[in-house]
């Protein structure tokens, strides 16, 4: 019998209510200056931890993680540029994007000409501040709207970036909801972007809401939600959890879940795993609009989970993809980009995907030669000749396909019936003693 | 050398003549009240047996057949409803559908209100009598046009159903035409429907005509035609023949073959077996219009043959599918639904399918390195430079593909040439000593 | 590091220049009367040998080659038809097509009626002379425009064909360019057609230009270009090289490369081999228009390479296919059919296909767990946040897919990036120590 998962994230109304709460949470997180390390991440995880139990991990700078090492920790207190008259041309206090992430400290007076190589702006979007990082090359930079940059007159400018780049640690947080099985479903979202709204405060808020929702129900599988910096965070997590990956049944990288684009599922490298099948099934049956895209090694942390040495059953769910909307990685990725109904739909579809994974058992029909007599078990209408109902069709589909080779999701796919109806039919047949669970549900499975 | 199969069901004219005879036979069978057991089935099989040798099997009530048991035998002599004035409101003598199949005997006077739960009608088709059954719940019922039902005035009614439901037997008939090989092709048609014309007097008549046609020719394979009640009949047949299923090469469930819909082939559960390939090939090349539909566990006796414990290479051929025409399972499924030309086309396509199965050998090219020289064997035109004819193309295709992995049907499919031309080319190459038959044609084969 | 192959056949301008030279060469070859044996083939190969080193093979008449034997050698010195007044109605000196190939010698006077069975013409194209052969049935014939044939008045005619059909040999030529590996790529073109321009002087000229181009560069694989008569030539070559076929990695039959039709690649019998993938990839990315057609056992020498006993990874590249343009196998297949730009495109695409085959290595990522850090190896831009360039995408694709199962061509296909960019990325990663070549590149491989 499938336990009820995410009971509070079922109806559109419930999800819209959660989306409003998520938006409120995002307003709280927006001003924080996050990077791949540092206090911004810690404050963000603390805020998440106010809603769900979160285990915080600190990994020291210099720790070897596969081909990489954990970088020095970066923190910034203030950053500004002032003209010869001492007027602040830009100030980090106004927008966290003004300082290039991982900028070295600087306090100097220089000519506009000397300053220019350190300025970043977007001529094609003169009012937007770009988002720039320099994690692995020691440098400093200021990001500025092109309009402001153009207004700068020749002369002397004072630049001050009060930052530190020093041994410290990389911080990530983990939420775990234990189910009946040791097998885990992974949700991963990146927490390293500063004041950018769709990318990726929506991902953080949706992951937190799903974690909170999981606590309210019963689960067959276990669910791990990881909040970590992008790239180096997933690499670090994989390095520290390599021995446990056998228990990872499938996973989903979450991000960019609030914009008005259609929900977009990006397939795992294998392309035909359980999460690929289920995401496609749920999106087809429940999303207002959606697109499925093939794996490519460019994007977010699916790159690491799907590197050839792991090749995990991990896909990615976003609305617009990275690089696929004009405001991406600029100050214009603010609350105007995010729509509450879209955020609610993202939550609802995520919940449905998790619910489907949790219920995706594989059975064997214990009466496989001819159909068993459903009528004598109270599962079939007594008077023949008229059309059977959808539930009776679902019973027949589950019986016919349950030879140990087809999961319930595969049966839903082949039959075209809703997964919930198929799962309900399987429960009824299980109770009637006509099905047995296969052991394959307890091993890492390739649902192909 | 392929023997000639079904020589009298080749041309459109011959098939039309057989269709006329089939229609006449259906008129003879129409008045009989058939059910899943009883004298109606026996009389039907006796009528079939007047045309072809039929082995009759009687299986006692109570016999365990997998999850089912053979039910009690049901017979009905008279059934009527009379109003307070003694006027017969309906009478089984006018239409066999008036009595719900497997109705218990009843002889009682009751009010209209008490009567209503036992009446079945179709508000959306007020002039049609529905077809209802209650095989496995003891009950009684009368089926009536909605117009008549609406005309009933409150008052007392006398109901009389003179039926018996008692230990007896389930009856089915088998025709067998032995060919050179023990491997069998199965045709199955249900014989349990009372006065319904398309479903399934057409199936009975077509199956009988094919059996008669088979007697006129030589066959490589053996052909078994089973006339049995639906569901419990195929379950019973499977239970009694389980040990012999290894010899079943493929099969076809036949029914609903006279209406004006396009010929519809429903694939086996496996979906890629020899019968699936051949039905598709023949329909594409010979039917006026056709559709191919995937397997689903709802329909006729293919449900049992394709249950996961058997998973046989059995498909289904109908014109309209079950439930797919308005007159289905009502008194309107009468001779007006059946068209002689459609019935003739069904016969012609069935014959072509059997002929293709019978000729579907798999060969190995005995001169597989480069093309053999056909000219010196008189198989190729002498003067080069001009276009080769279709037969020469067929020779090249058979030689090129015959590596033991492709049957002649597969070669016809890949080449786009008619199966008959491919088979003719194979015969010529066999005679020239360029091909050898593989042993795989004598084992149960998955033609995938 | 991929060596540079065919460096002089890269740009459109270079290929156009080579096409002009090829056309000039075709003018030299056009008057020669070629057949499947004889001095016409020898003169043709001698002309090819003036441009590239060619090893000439003579195989004696009567040599058994699989199911065939090498035929007698045929040569013709003169052939004409004269009317009663001694006027030459047709003369071989005017067109080599006038005499049916392999005509027996004849010197006789006969009536028009007696002559007619020996005349070949095309009523539907009254000005064209057809191409006819009688290699394996001893006969004689004259080919003539239908207009001339119609003008013949009853009366006596003198026919003279001064030919010899006698023991001799079949002649073919081979060019070999040795690369680093013993594995060979085969190019095959037929040299047996008399004065026909597209079929197949273009094939001969393109194959010769490719051979000349190969000499100018470095190759990883070895390249063998075979110039031989059609059918009996490839059969003879296969019979004499059977033991060496294990080294044949893939191949391409070339012909009909100058007409204005789109480039047409015909897949190998297997349909999914390395050459099939690469030809499709190159045509998609580089041809102005193209079509891909499935294998069929009718056409040119691919029939022998793809016979079931060999089933080699050999496809065919033409522009129009055999039989697919009206002038095919007639005197109208002259220089008017051939377009220099089309010939140049054929050369350019052939060169790109060979270059792709030569560079089609398969690697394993030596840092397969998560992405390796490209930045510290100078392979990645330092400042994050903006769009990566195509080359960086190519690096990520090669790393992600290189698990030993995907060749660079497969990666180009999946990524949609140009093969050259993928190969360049692989070279950079190889130099950075991030890739290792797999051994599979040194064995005969099925790139599926």
């Amino acid at each position: 019998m499938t336990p009820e998962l995410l009971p509070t994230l079922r109806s559109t109304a419930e999800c819209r209510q959660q989306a409003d709460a998520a938006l409120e949470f995002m307003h709280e997180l927006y001003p924080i200056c996050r990077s791949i390390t540092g206090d911004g991440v810690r404050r963000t995880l603390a805020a998440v931890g106010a809603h769900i139990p979160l285990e915080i991990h600190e990994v020291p700078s210099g720790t070897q993680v596969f081909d990489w090492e954990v970088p020095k920790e970066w923190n910034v207190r203030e950053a500004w540029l002032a003209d010869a008259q001492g007027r602040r041309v830009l100030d980090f206090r106004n927008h966290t994007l003004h300082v290039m992430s991982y900028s070295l400290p600087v306090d100097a007076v220089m000519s506009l000409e000397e300053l220019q190589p350190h300025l970043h702006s977007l001529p094609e979007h003169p009012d937007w501040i770009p988002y720039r990082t320099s994690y692995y090359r020691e440098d400093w930079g200021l990001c500025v709207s092109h309009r402001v940059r153009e207004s700068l007159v020749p002369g002397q400018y004072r630049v001050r970036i009060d930052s530190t780049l020093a041994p410290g640690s990389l911080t990530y947080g983990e939420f775990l909801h234990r189910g009946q099985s040791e097998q885990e479903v992974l949700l991963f979202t990146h927490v390293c972007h500063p004041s950018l709204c769709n990318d990726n405060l929506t991902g953080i808020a949706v992951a937190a809401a799903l974690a909170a929702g999981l606590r309210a129900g019963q689960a067959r599988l276990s669910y791990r939600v990881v909040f970590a910096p992008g790239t180096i965070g997933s690499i670090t997590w994989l390095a520290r959890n390599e021995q446990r990956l056998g228990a990872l049944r499938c996973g989903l990288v979450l991000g960019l879940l609030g914009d008005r684009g259609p929900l977009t599922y990006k397939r795992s490298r294998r392309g035909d795993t359980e999460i690929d099948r289920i995401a496609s099934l749920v999106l087809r049956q429940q999303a207002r609009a959606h697109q499925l895209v093939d794996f490519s090694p460019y994007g977010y942390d699916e790159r690491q989970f799907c590197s050839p040495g792991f090749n995990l059953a991990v896909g990615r769910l976003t609305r617009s993809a990275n690089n696929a909307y004009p405001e991406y990685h600029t100050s214009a990725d603010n609350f105007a980009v995010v729509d509450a109904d879209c955020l609610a739909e993202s939550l609802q579809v995520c919940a449905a995907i998790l619910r489907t994974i949790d219920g995706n058992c594989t059975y064997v029909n214990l009466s496989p030669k001819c159909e068993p007599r459903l009528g004598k078990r109270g599962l079939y209408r007594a008077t023949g000749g008229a059309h059977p109902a959808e539930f009776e069709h679902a019973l027949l589909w589950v019986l016919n396909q349950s030879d140990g080779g087809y999961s319930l999701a595969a049966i839903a796919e082949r039959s075209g019936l809703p997964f919930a109806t198929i799962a309900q039919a399987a429960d009824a047949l299980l109770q009637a003693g006509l099905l047995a669970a296969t052991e394959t549900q307890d091993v890492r499975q390739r649902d192909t």
Side-chain angles (χ1 to χ4, degrees), chain A residues 248-269:
Chain A
L248 196 155
R249 181 167 168 145
C250 63
L252 208 48
V253 170
L254 295 176
L256 291 71
L257 288 164
D259 66 87
R260 292 169 180 84
L263 277 159
T264 301
Y265 176 72
K266 175 178 168 179
R267 295 187 183 94
S268 74
R269 181 178 183 272

Side-chain angles (χ1 to χ4, degrees), chain A residues 130-151:
Chain A
Y131 166 48
R132 291 291 176 269
T133 66
S134 189
Y135 303 138
Y136 298 102
R137 189 188 54 169
E138 300 211 339
D139 195 4
W140 64 266
L142 295 171
C143 300
V144 58
S145 77
H146 201 63
R147 206 174 299 283
V148 167
R149 186 181 193 168
E150 295 275 273
S151 72

Side-chain angles (χ1 to χ4, degrees), chain A residues 152-175:
Chain A
L152 299 180
V153 293
Q156 296 294 306
Y157 288 86
R158 181 165 174 215
V159 186
R160 178 164 164 79
I161 300 180
D162 178 14
S163 65
T164 48
L165 183 60
S169 61
L170 176 151
T171 315
Y172 68 87
E174 281 189 291
F175 163 87

Side-chain angles (χ1 to χ4, degrees), chain A residues 252 275 278-279 282 317 348-358:
Chain A
L252 208 48
I275 183 68
I278 286 175
V282 170
L317 190 73
Q348 195 168 18
V349 164
C350 285
I353 289 174
L354 295 187
R355 221 175 271 126
T356 304
I357 294 170
D358 208 64

Side-chain angles (χ1 to χ4, degrees), chain A residues 25-32 34 43-44 47-48 201 204:
Chain A
F25 185 42
M26 286 161 58
H27 276 283
E28 176 188 345
L29 299 177
Y30 186 74
I32 303 172
R34 280 164 291 273
R43 283 174 58 198
T44 300
V48 172
L201 294 182
I204 298 170

Side-chain angles (χ1 to χ4, degrees), chain A residues 67-355:
Chain A
D67 191 53
W68 303 62
E69 59 180 49
V70 173
K72 291 180 191 159
E73 180 175 329
W74 182 72
N75 284 291
V76 59
R77 279 156 298 278
E78 63 169 322
W80 47 260
L81 177 68
D83 64 15
Q85 289 71 42
R87 282 182 303 228
R88 297 269 166 109
V89 173
L90 64 82
D91 195 323
F92 169 69
R93 281 182 298 183
N94 297 330
H95 208 298
T96 61
L97 288 181
H98 278 316
V99 64
M100 181 165 77
S101 200
Y102 265 65
S103 279
L104 293 176
V106 57
D107 192 348
V109 174
M110 60 185 73
S111 68
L112 178 58
E113 202 179 355
E114 291 169 295
L115 180 62
Q116 285 290 11
H118 294 278
L119 295 183
H120 301 272
S121 66
L122 297 167
E124 65 276 28
H125 293 295
D127 291 318
W128 299 356
I129 309 164
Y131 166 48
R132 291 291 176 269
T133 66
S134 189
Y135 303 138
Y136 298 102
R137 189 188 54 169
E138 300 211 339
D139 195 4
W140 64 266
L142 295 171
C143 300
V144 58
S145 77
H146 201 63
R147 206 174 299 283
V148 167
R149 186 181 193 168
E150 295 275 273
S151 72
L152 299 180
V153 293
Q156 296 294 306
Y157 288 86
R158 181 165 174 215
V159 186
R160 178 164 164 79
I161 300 180
D162 178 14
S163 65
T164 48
L165 183 60
S169 61
L170 176 151
T171 315
Y172 68 87
E174 281 189 291
F175 163 87
L176 178 64
H177 181 66
R178 285 193 199 281
Q180 299 161 6
S181 160
E182 296 286 305
Q183 280 187 79
E184 283 185 16
V185 178
L186 176 74
L187 299 178
F188 184 99
T189 199
H190 59 279
V191 296
C192 52
H193 285 34
S195 304
L196 293 166
C197 209
N198 191 42
D199 179 13
N200 190 31
L201 294 182
T202 58
I204 298 170
V206 165
L210 291 170
L214 283 163
R215 301 185 73 205
Q218 297 283 314
R220 186 171 66 92
L221 305 172
S222 296
Y223 292 82
R224 188 175 298 271
V225 188
V226 177
F227 301 81
T231 304
I232 188 65
S234 52
I235 292 170
T236 300
W237 188 88
L238 280 161
R240 290 164 61 99
N241 291 278
E242 193 176 356
Q243 300 310 317
R244 297 180 45 261
L245 294 178
L248 196 155
R249 181 167 168 145
C250 63
L252 208 48
V253 170
L254 295 176
L256 291 71
L257 288 164
D259 66 87
R260 292 169 180 84
L263 277 159
T264 301
Y265 176 72
K266 175 178 168 179
R267 295 187 183 94
S268 74
R269 181 178 183 272
R270 275 148 54 188
D272 59 356
T273 68
E274 185 179 29
I275 183 68
D276 299 306
R277 160 168 283 158
I278 286 175
S280 154
L281 188 67
V282 170
L283 285 167
R284 205 163 54 237
Q285 296 187 343
Q286 306 203 14
R288 288 191 295 245
H290 75 278
Q291 51 186 353
L292 303 174
V293 297
D294 277 332
F295 177 76
S296 71
Y298 181 65
Y300 287 108
D301 294 280
E302 69 278 8
R303 292 159 67 168
Q304 312 310 329
F305 296 110
C306 294
S307 58
F310 295 121
N311 204 18
L312 296 168
V314 174
R316 187 188 79 183
L317 190 73
T318 63
R319 297 192 71 91
S320 290
N322 51 313
N323 263 346
Y325 58 105
E327 302 88 352
Y328 178 78
H329 278 195
T330 75
S331 58
D333 185 350
N334 57 31
F335 284 91
V337 165
V338 174
D339 176 80
D341 284 330
C342 291
L343 196 59
E345 191 203 20
S346 300
L347 263 170
Q348 195 168 18
V349 164
C350 285
I353 289 174
L354 295 187
R355 221 175 271 126

